[in-house]
Amino acid sequence: MEDSANNSTRVSADLIVPTRTQPTGGLKHWCWADSISIVLLIILAAQLLLSSSRLSATYDEQYHLAIGLYYLRTGDPNFIPAHPPLVAALATLPVANRNLVVPLRDSASSAVSNLEYSDQLLWRLNPNGPSIVARARLPIIGLTLLLAVTVYAWARELFGPISGLLALTLLSFDPNILAHGNLVTNDVGVTCFATLALYAFWRWMMRPTPGRAVIAGLMLGLAQVSKFSAVYLIPVVMIILVTDRLWKSTTAASRLSAKATLAHLTVIAVAAYCAIWAVYGFKLGTLKGYPFPAREYLTGLQAATTLIASGKDSFLLGAYSPTGWWYYFPVAFAVKTPLPTLILIGASFGFVYRRGTWRLTLPLLISVVIYFAISVASPFHIGYRHLLPVLPCLFIFTSQLALINWKTSPQRIAAVAAMLVWLTVGSVLIFPHYLTFFNEIAGGPQNGYKILVDSNLDWGQGLIGLRKYMTEENLSSVKLSYHGTADPTAYGIKYEPLPSYPYNQWASDTVPDILLNPPNGVYAISANNLQGLRFKNHDLYATFRQRKPDAVVGHSIFIYRINGTGEGNPAPPK
């Protein structure tokens, strides 16, 4: 692959290296790569739409639907203060004008729990909850496509159009992006707006004008109100700027005077807080007795910080912990990132080392390192989805491999192409169960429940698959232990409830007789419940774990048939 930029020269037998450490591509002229990028975007949209229709509502979706609808109907952003309202409000726009019953409540009252309220809203008071979820997923798909366009544009502007295509391909077939790119949660939302904020800030550094400063500030502000974890961007942009000046980079921002830099940063900060204030309805609160704009944002940020600091029960490699492990996210990244992507990321580090152009990619690496370090230090270890914001920067960083000279290094180009084919095939094979993806290091999705559960594997998305299995097997009912907030009957499932989470909880240390000596029937048990993730007694389903399942629906719901003959019955507990 040859770099299309005119200002590049060959300095080695196998590399094309820019003569200056500045962007080689541009966005001014349309080229053939832009046409191919549109095809990739269509493929991405198709994957998201088709997989969405095969997934039941996941655990957090009803909460975000409640946040968005409550905010749009009342203007109150504090339904769940630990989550800002932007992404939820965008998601619920397609259903906001429908004749939905949205009950009012005092958001400061604990008389009605968030679970009970969102359950009433989606599954009890309004008909056809699955249809509401499907419509609300469409704006999230739109944000995923916006993220893809941003990744393509930034990589294209940095390294050229072929690099843009490489970055876009890595994103379009990444199972983790595809898994969350159509769910009504704020994980892809914060990934999209954080990437936009970094891109806008980088463009301001290339040409620091007041207009670009305003855009950078607005994007930074929107990232903050997409998810509170986006606060990491504040130290990131400051460190990027300081490093750029200390290294005397060729960016235009590094040549600004201290006074001019301070003025531009002031514009960025003011624009960012204006965006935050706008999302919070331009309301004034009080801070130490004085009027303060968007005071509710600070309250929510404090609530989110408290929630994260308190930790949550985590599962890793068969062990449980209320505060997690420092190596949780490194392990999760190693087993849930596609292996060809990991190989390409490693190769890109070697490529950059040979080129000696670290400064050009430093904004990307600083963002990845700081976010990953914060994640490792956090005691809140419940899913790979919290690593999504690092993926776009890694895809853009890896896109430099497109600068390899195909004339003198055909083997390396063939290796990169093979990795992309591997990635694409793996993505196609896991469809539509992207959420359950585990790479070859982990032994594939069938082995994933032994390594990670929660939103890494089983997030309540398997009810449609279970209904299909019941139809194929002519089952009128199952004994169901479901980990999720959706109503199984809304998806056409007739069942007898077993100890589950969050409904039908079993808070005792003892094991009920139905699990010790299960009567005849077909048992459907979610992977999270099978591993006892949220139960006081993690071995509640130990007797079922000791036997091989008769089937596994969507890699997340384990089927056991008890026939009363002794054949295949669970072994007695030890």
Side-chain angles (χ1 to χ4, degrees), residues 453-465:
V453 286
D454 211 317
S455 60
N456 299 294
L457 176 75
D458 173 24
W459 218 17
Q461 76 278 5
L463 292 178
I464 294 176

Side-chain angles (χ1 to χ4, degrees), residues 473-555:
E473 297 294 320
N474 197 28
L475 299 173
S476 60
S477 177
V478 294
K479 301 180 190 299
L480 177 63
S481 176
Y482 173 61
H483 184 102
T485 54
D487 180 6
T489 61
Y491 289 93
I493 294 174
K494 185 179 180 181
Y495 68 102
E496 176 185 337
L498 297 174
S500 302
Y501 187 87
Y503 302 108
N504 304 307
Q505 292 189 49
W506 186 263
S508 172
D509 281 328
T510 62
V511 180
D513 188 63
I514 192 174
L515 301 185
L516 285 174
N517 303 289
N520 291 352
V522 178
Y523 293 71
I525 305 173
S526 290
N528 285 344
N529 295 341
L530 187 68
Q531 295 289 22
L533 176 64
R534 302 280 180 237
F535 297 135
K536 185 177 182 180
N537 182 354
H538 296 309
D539 290 327
L540 199 62
Y541 285 92
T543 54
F544 285 88
R545 290 204 304 260
Q546 292 172 8
R547 62 159 292 170
K548 183 179 179 180
D550 294 280
V552 181
V553 176
H555 307 297

